[in-house]
Amino acid sequence: MDALGVMEEPFPAQSKSATGPIDGVPTQASVLHFSDKILVTLSQEGRLSQWIQVPLSAPSSATVDQALANANLLPMSHLTPKTLLGGGGEERESLAQLYAVQIASHIARRNSDESRTLVIGLGLKTLKPDREAFFDVLELIQKVL
């Protein structure tokens, strides 16, 4: 403690990070759990060019959807992504929103009571509608969630 009475403590938000290849490019993934938001970032070469939010709270009609949902790779139908910043064209924005909904679905399936908003920062060098890259993203994200 210094003379002003300020105590240094670790960052209060729970966090985790991992590194892995996406489409052959080294990628850093991180997650920060705040009281009202979950922040996930995927960054290649230090960039973050797109920001998307997905509210995880489900309307009452979506509880039936959640009860019937199994652990497959289809995104949950009640999740609605919204691009906050960045875009890069219609195809890039659509693919980024697909990644966001897929990550949100994974979180919602792990904890059906989760009601925070997911905020995702993407900084992938290239976003391709490629099966291998898609599974690389999901595998890396699962390491930090």
Side-chain angles (χ1 to χ4, degrees), residues 9-145:
E9 294 189 351
F11 194 70
Q14 178 188 4
S15 66
K16 191 171 181 182
S17 61
T19 302
I22 293 179
D23 202 24
V25 180
T27 307
Q28 296 76 38
S30 67
V31 64
L32 288 167
H33 296 271
F34 295 100
S35 63
D36 62 339
K37 305 248 189 305
I38 300 171
L39 175 66
V40 173
T41 61
L42 277 173
S43 176
Q44 293 176 334
E45 300 174 356
R47 70 181 78 186
L48 286 170
S49 58
Q50 287 178 284
W51 290 91
I52 300 165
Q53 77 173 9
V54 184
L56 296 176
S57 57
S60 59
S61 62
T63 56
V64 173
D65 178 40
Q66 288 180 338
L68 297 175
N70 57 20
N72 60 20
L73 289 176
L74 293 176
M76 299 176 97
S77 61
H78 74 279
L79 299 172
T80 53
K82 179 180 178 184
T83 300
L84 300 174
L85 295 169
E90 188 176 326
E91 183 178 339
R92 185 174 178 91
E93 185 172 355
S94 295
L95 192 54
Q97 287 185 356
L98 172 65
Y99 284 150
V101 168
Q102 195 66 48
I103 294 165
S105 294
H106 180 74
I107 293 169
R109 284 190 178 103
R110 285 181 50 187
N111 181 3
S112 61
D113 295 329
E114 184 61 72
S115 62
R116 293 177 282 183
T117 297
L118 174 65
V119 178
I120 299 181
L122 292 176
L124 302 178
K125 193 173 184 177
T126 58
L127 267 179
K128 296 189 274 184
D130 177 81
R131 179 184 169 113
E132 186 175 325
F134 180 78
F135 285 115
D136 286 348
V137 168
L138 296 181
E139 184 178 327
L140 183 55
I141 287 297
Q142 287 177 10
K143 289 180 183 179
V144 297
L145 293 177

